[in-house]
Amino acid sequence: GESVGLHLPTLSVQEGDNSIINCAYSNSASDYFIWYKQESGKGPQFIIDIRSNMDKRQGQRVTVLLNKTVKHLSLQIAATQPGDSAVYFCAVLQGGPGTYKYIFGTGTRLKVLA
Amino acid sequence: GAGVSQSPRYKVAKRGQDVALRCDPISGHVSLFWYQQALGQGPEFLTYFQNEAQLDKSGLPSDRFFAERPEGSVSTLKIQRTQQEDSAVYLCASSLGWGQGSTNEKLFFGSGTQLSVL
């Protein structure tokens, strides 16, 4: 099966600085990954995704990097803003005969300091 | 609708009571998932539907948990004889795709139902 872990439970950054949130996964066959943002009292919100045939993908102020060799992905947030304060999860698609599910990590809480 | 809708938003149940949680996925989405999220934890998979077929229920914690999606759209998660350890947020999610290799695997979540069992 798949297990997903994160390197840090809490990350504090100054407003305007860049943030980097990390995630490790265990199944080398995994080929689709999503980053989610979850604010208090809300469901996870889709941020950005990446497939295993890519190393990098950019969105608005966010970049996801995928290193398949060490089974690691990261989320970079540029010019972090107070509205970025939330818990961030990576999710890894686990598929196969009779199964199709996303495995989530425990999350990293991002705190933006004014 | 525009997004995944879940009801009720909050549910308080006495231990031993049965509860039913509803999910309205995004219209046309083939796949529907239920997840359980304990406080301070990531979502844990419960069950997966492809249209009306429940293809994976490996995450359901006990036979007190039952899910259905009879017409391939709205889904209900039922918990019988609720216990205190069932207290959690129950999240529903849907996607247009239906498995690895499809091109529409983005997963969209509802706001969840927060269940408190007293």
Side-chain angles (χ1 to χ4, degrees), chain B residues 3-118:
Chain B
V4 179
S5 178
Q6 292 188 247
S7 61
R9 184 71 180 88
Y10 302 95
K11 177 68 179 178
V12 178
K14 292 183 178 179
R15 190 172 56 183
Q17 187 177 356
D18 297 349
V19 298
L21 312 180
R22 178 188 169 103
C23 173
D24 278 275
I26 295 173
S27 179
H29 276 199
V30 170
S31 293
L32 184 145
F33 302 80
W34 283 98
Y35 280 82
Q36 181 190 61
Q37 187 174 26
L39 189 64
Q41 300 295 316
E44 294 281 344
F45 172 81
L46 293 177
T47 188
Y48 164 62
F49 289 87
Q50 187 181 108
N51 294 309
E52 70 280 1
Q54 188 176 21
L55 298 187
D56 189 344
K57 53 182 180 179
S58 62
L60 296 177
S62 75
D63 59 7
R64 294 187 296 104
F65 287 71
F66 171 77
E68 60 183 2
R69 193 187 185 197
E71 297 179 358
S73 55
V74 172
S75 177
T76 303
L77 176 66
K78 298 179 180 178
I79 308 174
Q80 297 177 321
R81 305 180 303 283
T82 52
Q83 304 295 315
Q84 284 188 322
E85 61 263 28
D86 299 335
S87 296
V89 175
Y90 290 86
L91 295 164
C92 177
S94 69
S95 71
L96 190 59
W98 56 89
Q100 274 185 311
S102 72
T103 58
N104 295 292
E105 290 160 320
K106 288 183 181 178
L107 190 63
F108 297 94
F109 281 86
S111 295
T113 294
Q114 184 170 329
L115 174 64
S116 299
V117 182
L118 306 179

Side-chain angles (χ1 to χ4, degrees), chain A residues 13-68:
Chain A
V13 297
Q14 285 294 134
E15 182 178 353
D17 287 353
N18 297 334
S19 303
I20 300 176
I21 300 171
N22 296 302
C23 181
Y25 62 97
S26 62
N27 189 344
S28 58
S30 300
D31 73 348
Y32 183 61
F33 309 84
I34 304 177
W35 278 101
Y36 285 94
K37 172 185 180 183
Q38 188 174 28
E39 297 173 288
S40 181
K42 298 183 179 180
Q45 176 188 357
F46 177 96
I47 302 174
I48 191 168
D49 59 352
I50 189 168
R51 290 200 174 275
S52 59
N53 61 355
M54 304 174 70
D55 297 323
K56 178 180 179 179
R57 191 161 188 226
Q58 288 184 294
Q60 187 176 14
R61 284 201 305 117
V62 294
T63 300
V64 55
L65 299 178
L66 177 62
N67 185 330
K68 295 179 288 293

